[in-house]
């Protein structure tokens, strides 16, 4: 969509705005990224929601129930890619699956994968960073989800699930069959509802990205998140945890950081931390699991995210 950036730049120049300056450049960056992400977001949410209409909770539960061992973790992680876009939206499904008797490790693979990786993020990441980075991000996200769920299952952490979850029983009912028209209406409604929820975070994310892109000196970003700081990955993960956004809100920030000299693995660690370990989602998850299991979940995710960050920093030359 470079034509859109050029069109916005020409329009601003016609209004007397100097797009080569900091203020004008920030305005152009903001308008272009908001328009680009909004258009892509609506298209992707509609498409993913249509696909999601074929995987209601009851059907997903039946699919997961057919598999055992690590295969179940892999399927759960893959199912997570066609579910809602933020960690808080995924926790009710996690609770439903757990109360329905699915293995705890399998449900945690789903919980990790759902906010971190989805089909929409794959397409949006590819449009901004290229297919190699997008596919790599999705692949490592799925690996973290599978490994994390497998470890939780191996260590038999079921006793650390709150008792009301264990006794709740299956809460889902069989979803009715939908016609093609009903699926399209569902996809439209999901698109509008999700867009309204996500759009404020896009504005904030693009605003932060515009500031980073046009106001923060490049050597500052390189000093903190570049190759000169061996703790850049850890710092990025720590910064990302208190934030609450989905991947659509973090992409503009990541794009600006990368253009300013931050290392690829450091940027990916930041994105994963924001989407997977946001404080609101952890507070919700604490209602369902006991502190020891919550701490293990945080530890596995944080360790995986940091390891992925350093790995991608080492092999950054293969992607950029």
């Amino acid at each position: 969509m470079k034509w859109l950036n050029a069109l916005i730049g020409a329009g601003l120049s016609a209004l007397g705005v100097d797009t080569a300056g900091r203020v004008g450049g920030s305005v152009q960056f903001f308008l272009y990224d908001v328009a680009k992400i909004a258009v892509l977001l609506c298209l992707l949410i509609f498409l993913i929601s249509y696909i999601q209409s074929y995987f209601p909770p009851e059907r997903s539960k039946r699919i997961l129930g057919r598999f055992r061992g690590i295969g179940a973790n892999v399927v759960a992680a893959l199912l997570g890619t066609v579910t809602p876009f933020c960690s808080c939206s995924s926790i009710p499904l996690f609770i439903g699956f757990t109360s329905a008797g699915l293995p705890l490790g399998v449900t945690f693979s789903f919980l990790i994968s759902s906010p971190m990786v989805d089909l929409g993020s794959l397409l949006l990441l590819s449009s901004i960073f290229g297919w190699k980075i997008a596919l790599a991000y999705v692949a490592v996200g799925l690996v973290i989800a599978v490994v994390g769920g497998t470890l939780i299952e191996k260590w038999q952490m079921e006793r650390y699930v709150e008792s009301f979850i264990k006794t709740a029983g299956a809460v889902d009912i069989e979803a009715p069959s939908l016609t093609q028209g009903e699926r399209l209406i569902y996809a439209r409604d999901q698109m509008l509802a999700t867009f309204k929820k996500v759009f404020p975070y896009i504005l904030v994310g693009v605003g932060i990205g515009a500031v980073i892109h046009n106001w923060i000196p490049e050597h500052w970003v390189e000093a903190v998140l570049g190759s000169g700081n061996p703790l850049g990955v850890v710092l990025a993960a720590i910064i990302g945890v208190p934030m609450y956004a989905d991947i659509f809100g973090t992409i503009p920030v990541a794009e600006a950081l990368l253009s300013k000299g931050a290392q690829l693995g450091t940027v990916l660690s930041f994105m994963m931390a924001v989407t997977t370990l946001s404080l609101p989602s952890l507070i919700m998850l604490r209602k369902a699991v006991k502190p020891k299991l919550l701490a293990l979940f945080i530890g596995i995710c944080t360790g995986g995210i940091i390891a992925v960050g350093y790995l991608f920093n080492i092999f950054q030359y293969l992607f950029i």
Side-chain angles (χ1 to χ4, degrees), residues 27 54 69 110 119 156 249 270 298:
V27 172
Y54 287 93
F110 169 86
L119 297 179
Q156 299 179 347
F270 169 77
I298 295 172

Side-chain angles (χ1 to χ4, degrees), residues 74 77-82 109 112-126 129-146 247 251 264 268 271-272 275-276 308 312 319:
V74 173
L78 291 173
L79 277 177
T81 65
V82 292
S109 287
I112 297 170
S113 169
S114 181
M116 185 183 291
V117 181
D118 59 69
L119 297 179
S121 68
L122 171 62
L123 297 176
L124 187 56
L125 280 167
S126 66
F129 298 113
W131 277 104
K132 287 197 295 185
I133 293 177
L135 290 172
Y137 177 88
V138 171
V140 297
L142 291 173
V143 169
I144 292 175
V146 171
I247 193 168
I251 283 177
L264 176 61
L268 293 183
M271 294 174 62
M272 288 181 169
T275 55
T276 309
V308 164
F312 270 85
F319 299 94

Side-chain angles (χ1 to χ4, degrees), residues 64 75 92 148 186 205:
L64 292 175
V75 173
Y186 169 81

Side-chain angles (χ1 to χ4, degrees), residues 65-200:
R66 297 172 186 169
F67 295 88
R68 294 290 182 273
I70 195 170
N73 294 93
V74 173
V75 173
L78 291 173
L79 277 177
T81 65
V82 292
T83 51
F85 296 93
C86 72
S87 51
C88 289
S89 301
S90 306
I91 289 175
L93 286 176
F94 160 78
I95 292 174
F97 289 156
T98 304
S99 64
L102 291 177
L104 185 63
V106 173
T107 60
F108 265 98
S109 287
F110 169 86
L111 180 63
I112 297 170
S113 169
S114 181
M116 185 183 291
V117 181
D118 59 69
L119 297 179
S121 68
L122 171 62
L123 297 176
L124 187 56
L125 280 167
S126 66
S127 69
I128 295 175
F129 298 113
W131 277 104
K132 287 197 295 185
I133 293 177
L135 290 172
Y137 177 88
V138 171
V140 297
L142 291 173
V143 169
I144 292 175
V146 171
V147 172
T150 301
L151 289 175
I152 288 174
E153 187 70 26
K154 181 178 180 180
W155 292 332
Q156 299 179 347
M157 304 297 292
E158 288 80 4
R159 63 186 181 278
Y160 297 107
V161 176
E162 293 291 354
S163 57
F164 79 91
I165 299 295
K166 298 177 183 178
T167 58
V171 296
D172 297 323
I173 59 173
E174 181 66 45
S177 299
L178 300 177
T179 65
Q180 289 300 318
E182 290 171 333
R183 294 187 192 280
L184 293 173
I185 292 173
Y186 169 81
R188 181 202 63 190
D189 292 343
Q190 287 291 99
M191 177 191 71
L192 294 175
T194 306
F195 181 80
K196 291 177 182 178
K197 181 177 67 174
V198 169
F199 190 65

